[in-house]
Amino acid sequence: MSWSLAVHGGAGTPPEGTLDRAVEAQRREGLKRALDAGGAVLAARGPALDAVCAAVRLLEDDPLFNAGRGAVYATDRSQRMDASVMTGDRRAGAVCDLRRVRSPVLAARAVLERSPHVFLSGTGAEAFAAEQGLELVDSSWFADAVRLAQLEAALVDGMVVLDHSGRTAGDGEAGGTVGAVARDLSGRLAAATSTGGMTAKAPGRVGDSAVIGAGTWADDRSCAVSATGHGERFIESAVASRIAALVELSGLDVVAAAEQVVLRELVDRQAEGGVIAVGADGRLALPFNSGGMARAARHPDGRVEVVAFLPERARR
Amino acid sequence: MSWSLAVHGGAGTPPEGTLDRAVEAQRREGLKRALDAGGAVLAARGPALDAVCAAVRLLEDDPLFNAGRGAVYATDRSQRMDASVMTGDRRAGAVCDLRRVRSPVLAARAVLERSPHVFLSGTGAEAFAAEQGLELVDSSWFADAVRLAQLEAALVDGMVVLDHSGRTAGDGEAGGTVGAVARDLSGRLAAATSTGGMTAKAPGRVGDSAVIGAGTWADDRSCAVSATGHGERFIESAVASRIAALVELSGLDVVAAAEQVVLRELVDRQAEGGVIAVGADGRLALPFNSGGMARAARHPDGRVEVVAFLPERARR
């Protein structure tokens, strides 16, 4: 048996001409660092849960991704974060609307491992994280001038006035939600997702990244999935658990299942985004229906790929 | 085509000797009123969404159920409520950690119909509800001496110190979470769920009732489901959407699918509770693996059943 690991740094369709090659190169480095951190855990026979948390934690600290430091802003100019983790024995932890926890994914993990609950929100989640000894920081830790400018532009454009199915300010952004999926050398699966949500979201908005079954799912019988995209539509399609259901109940392999949901069902619902998924056999799937998805993967055969938003992939 | 409707008022296993026949009779009346309110909508050719909201709203105002008025207390002696709704075209709305909105289910419905988002938490959700003209009340509106006594007893018993998979203070309570599922005369499905959560929960704890896919799901292709039980375990099993997946992908009918999840899979995970579900053909399923489940149903053939916790059903 071999190990496999994939990480993502968000899916989207960056508006024409907005991709900066230097930033993309840095983002690629961030993805590679995260893959290496998770891979080191797995190569040392560590558990999949440790690996996905090690990878996601680094991406949270990296201001070029929309999670932790560098998260996008809500309409009230606050940064509010969601995260979740799940292991293949179907134990889960999730947090939403965090403003002061440096690593939301570690807060979600603490919920999984040390709370009687599975899902904690807001100040209650922050109080639990503090009790558990996790690092709380001043909100200035997360601040980011580029993200704040994105908010101001969205407010000027009136993008906060959205219809239920409409386009959102976050749709086209490069550098989004982060996540990881892994299979370890014992065959256990895990998934983790962390995000700042969408630019100009309402305060208190919770996206799929905090919703077990939508943004994150893991089941050793089928697959582990971390999603990135238009969170509202992803919740309404229960994206991550649906991919697992297609594997378990319909007998699709993980690639076919992930592609059916991302390339067909989500497209039918005008929901832009993608997923990373790992099957029980370690096979990875990384489909997206947007212009690009920042991602890195170490396949079970040892092959490694690292792709930020490549200009030549945009606007297909 | 005929219409059908089911409501529930929570599943559980009341500790021996704690059932009060007079209270159970009142609870039965509350269930009947809710069934009648939803039924009136459906008989007048109204939409399933209107019917489930009409039913749940009445149960929220009834202090004998753990939703809205009469909600259970968190460890900090606050009452914090979760709710969600979904229609069979897979549009959803959810709210969590509400403290001042009289009808959480109407707040969830407002999110579905009038927000660009699907899921709002805490004060952000309350601010949205207020903007939408929903009734906000002082927290004293929800207060309940019996529920407060349950909290004090739980605190004395040390039940707030729970392990991740352990028994919770809410497990045995009669009069729990409320919900409704309906099929209207146009064949549309809808589901709604509302709760105060579990006694002695951590402030900010979110249960399955706010999680689309776990506590609530609706898909016109398969079924609509509202769940009640140990919310943490229900989230980790994505209960409501799994039942729909078994119908859609495995070809089970709604009764077989609901029973497989509630009577087999949840039992295997030591997760106590039940669901109400309505299939695309209007057929109802009302399985529970606990001592009882308060419920009322109007089947497609016109047959009506109303069952609070009957002592003779307890402890099977």
Side-chain angles (χ1 to χ4, degrees), chain A residues 118-119 211-212, chain B residues 8 82-85 94-96 119 177 193-195 197-198 205-217 225-240 266 272-275:
Chain A
V118 161
F119 192 1
V211 176
I212 295 297
Chain B
H8 71 76
D82 301 336
S84 59
V85 296
V95 289
C96 69
F119 192 0
T177 298
T193 312
S194 182
T195 192
M198 58 168 66
R205 177 263 190 183
V206 184
D208 65 314
S209 301
V211 176
I212 295 297
T216 300
W217 187 257
V225 181
S226 171
T228 165
H230 189 164
E232 278 70 15
R233 299 293 84 75
F234 277 45
I235 292 171
E236 291 171 335
S237 289
V239 165
L266 287 173
E272 187 175 84
V275 305

Side-chain angles (χ1 to χ4, degrees), chain A residues 242-244 246-247 252-262:
Chain A
R242 179 162 180 86
I243 292 170
L246 287 168
V247 171
L252 300 188
D253 67 41
V254 68
V255 174
E259 290 185 350
Q260 175 173 324
V261 171
V262 172

